[in-house]
Amino acid sequence: MPSIINHARLLGRVLRYVQIDTTAVEGANSYPSSPRQLVLGKLLADELREMGLKDVEYDAHGLVWATISATGKPKGNQPLLIVAFNAHVDTSPETTGKNVKPHVIRNYAGGDIMLAADSTKVIRVADNPELTQLVGKTLITTDGTTLLGSDDKSGVAVIMELAHTLVEHPQISHGPIRILFTCDEEIGHGVDHVDLTKLGATVCYTVDGQGAGEIDTETFSADLASITIRGINIHPSIGKGRMVNAVRAAAAFIDRLPKTGLSPETTGGREGFLHPYTIEGGVAAIKIKVLLRDFVTAELATKADLLRKAAREVVAEIPGCQIDVQISKQYRNMGEGLAEEPRAVAFAQEAFRRLKRACKLTIVRGGTDGSQLTERGLPTPNLSTGEHNPHSPLEWTCLEEMTAAVEHLVELVQVWGET
Ligand SMILES: [Zn+2]
């Protein structure tokens, strides 16, 4: 069956969206953190209105909300379930998103891809083995000086094209579909202003996953440890017997953390870690922040105990210093919440089955906006959208993988429409 997806229009969308600089700004005092996220949000709202979607709303926080009306009929007196799709308009601050000049490679011949404006930037097949499966396809890269922003503008384009496709094909039977575009996901504030009652959905999918054919069903559970080490500062000339150096205590503390495991540098797969990532201060006081990560939430407490044990040992070794370990909750493994609505993942798998495509269930060694939404009661797995090498100048995407993502969503809404 020929695809009903309009490839050229989908390509046009992603090229249009990535050229708007929506880099999130860490520590900004505004929401969204950068004003051009509003420019993209407004453009998306306008495009959705032009498609004829009802209740398109561009809210005070820059979030875009819209509904694709149901075409299916409810069975009996049960109302049709509402499915939501979410993508984020901001891009990572790790690489600039200013003056993105996307390069389209049609009929990719295979081999390494040297980027146009920086010959030191090469997308190598050795690092991107998935390229070997994409010979003949259409790829989109940067010129090597910026990121692409396919994370998550591929997801935005895929959801927009889903909407346009469904509007053009009212014979496709589905329930009500809610669209939600959010801001500042990359700096951990994607769902700060998401009102779940207003969204009204039974299930949501973030369309923000890498590659093709993957369903992210688990994320880390995450806590943050804030450690304050207090010493006693006094002029070094009279420090004998009086000074307590928090810098030495901090070194002793870090030295006690596991070295051959339990760190991001030494773990993969389902292994969790402790990750000291900032340290600042001086003789009088040092503050250290440590990320605690594990797929098993209960293991976070074990990791916190390791920190407390190290703190007790250092206090015993360096008399006069004080160490305070505060643990705060960040997010929880979305797998825990998804277990309560098994259809969220099962229907995504069923949609792949109907397309006669393989899919795989994957885990994310991090969090997604879906972790927070799921914890708040809205089951939200994450779906592939053709992103590769996110946050990097070597970022690229594949038009056919994006098309496949739209086709998957078209199938998925029909599966939900049958409930
Ligand atoms: Zn993303």
Side-chain angles (χ1 to χ4, degrees):
M1 192 186 83
S3 173
I4 58 168
I5 311 303
N6 185 329
H7 292 59
R9 193 170 62 196
L10 178 58
L11 177 62
R13 282 187 197 290
V14 76
L15 295 179
R16 193 156 64 242
Y17 305 155
V18 298
Q19 289 178 73
I20 301 172
D21 174 9
T22 57
T23 312
V25 178
E26 203 102 45
N29 290 321
S30 60
Y31 195 97
S33 65
S34 55
R36 290 183 67 79
Q37 294 185 51
L38 299 171
V39 175
L40 178 53
K42 190 164 180 309
L43 173 76
L44 296 173
D46 289 344
E47 291 186 358
L48 289 166
R49 276 188 205 105
E50 275 164 34
M51 287 176 206
L53 257 58
K54 68 173 204 190
D55 70 15
V56 178
E57 186 192 345
Y58 169 66
D59 77 14
H61 306 290
L63 278 58
V64 179
W65 309 69
T67 306
I68 308 169
S69 303
T71 52
K73 295 271 172 296
K75 292 168 193 63
N77 46 17
Q78 291 294 328
L80 287 162
L81 298 177
I82 302 175
V83 179
F85 294 103
N86 164 249
H88 61 92
V89 301
D90 62 305
T91 61
S92 166
E94 287 177 56
T95 302
T96 179
K98 201 174 174 176
N99 295 323
V100 172
K101 294 186 195 73
H103 280 234
V104 178
I105 301 170
R106 291 180 199 274
N107 200 7
Y108 167 58
D112 294 350
I113 303 166
M114 194 188 289
L115 299 178
D118 182 348
S119 59
T120 67
K121 298 282 187 319
V122 180
I123 301 172
R124 296 187 193 283
V125 176
D127 302 325
N128 298 262
E130 59 272 42
L131 282 172
T132 56
Q133 304 300 314
L134 299 176
V135 173
K137 309 292 189 209
T138 300
L139 306 183
I140 305 153
T141 70
T142 70
D143 67 358
T145 63
T146 66
L147 51 60
L148 179 60
S150 167
D151 172 10
D152 182 23
K153 290 167 186 173
S154 286
V156 171
V158 163
I159 294 172
M160 292 295 285
E161 202 50 43
L162 167 75
H164 213 148
T165 304
L166 293 178
V167 168
E168 288 172 335
H169 298 274
Q171 75 280 9
I172 296 171
S173 177
H174 59 82
I177 298 164
R178 292 284 275 157
I179 291 175
L180 172 62
F181 296 123
T182 45
C183 301
D184 285 337
E185 186 267 356
E186 297 289 0
I187 53 172
H189 295 290
V191 294
D192 286 10
H193 299 288
V194 174
D195 175 349
L196 291 188
T197 310
K198 176 175 166 180
L199 192 63
T202 295
V203 66
C204 179
Y205 296 89
T206 49
V207 185
D208 191 18
Q210 299 194 33
E214 294 182 357
I215 308 169
D216 293 325
T217 60
E218 286 193 61
T219 59
F220 270 146
S221 282
D223 282 349
L224 171 69
S226 302
I227 294 130
T228 307
I229 303 179
R230 285 199 181 75
I232 298 170
N233 199 7
I234 190 166
H235 195 279
S237 61
I238 53 168
K240 188 174 182 184
R242 298 164 78 182
M243 180 186 281
V244 179
N245 190 345
V247 176
R248 291 190 187 280
F253 178 81
I254 296 291
D255 194 49
R256 277 178 166 76
L257 301 185
K259 294 187 184 66
T260 54
L262 285 184
S263 70
E265 307 94 298
T266 58
T267 54
R270 288 195 161 270
E271 298 168 310
F273 56 71
L274 288 163
H275 176 42
Y277 72 102
T278 70
I279 178 162
E280 57 183 21
V283 174
I286 294 272
K287 284 184 188 296
I288 302 171
K289 288 192 171 169
V290 183
L291 301 180
L292 312 187
R293 298 289 185 264
D294 207 288
F295 285 95
V296 180
T297 303
E299 285 298 314
L300 295 176
T302 313
K303 291 181 169 58
D305 285 344
L306 273 172
L307 296 178
R308 292 196 186 92
K309 178 168 175 280
R312 280 195 303 273
E313 289 173 6
V314 172
V315 168
E317 182 184 297
I318 304 178
C321 86
Q322 294 174 351
I323 305 185
D324 177 52
V325 178
Q326 293 290 337
I327 307 288
S328 54
K329 179 180 162 184
Q330 292 187 306
Y331 54 85
R332 291 294 175 257
N333 185 343
M334 80 161 113
E336 295 168 7
L338 291 183
E340 289 166 33
E341 176 48 278
R343 293 177 297 182
V345 174
F347 285 9
Q349 290 175 294
E350 171 63 16
F352 279 118
R353 243 186 314 273
R354 291 184 186 187
L355 289 165
K356 300 192 168 50
R357 289 185 196 153
C359 71
K360 78 176 182 231
L361 302 187
T362 40
I363 59 173
V364 183
R365 288 177 62 78
T368 66
D369 274 353
S371 330
Q372 293 182 57
L373 293 174
T374 303
E375 196 180 355
R376 280 163 59 183
L378 178 63
T380 308
N382 187 36
L383 302 175
S384 284
T385 186
E387 298 168 13
H388 298 265
N389 299 338
H391 303 192
S392 156
L394 302 179
E395 192 183 3
W396 57 277
T397 187
C398 170
L399 179 61
E400 285 79 2
E401 288 183 338
M402 291 176 58
T403 305
V406 183
E407 289 164 347
H408 179 237
L409 299 193
V410 169
E411 248 356 278
L412 179 55
V413 297
Q414 294 177 80
V415 179
W416 275 102
E418 291 164 11
T419 55

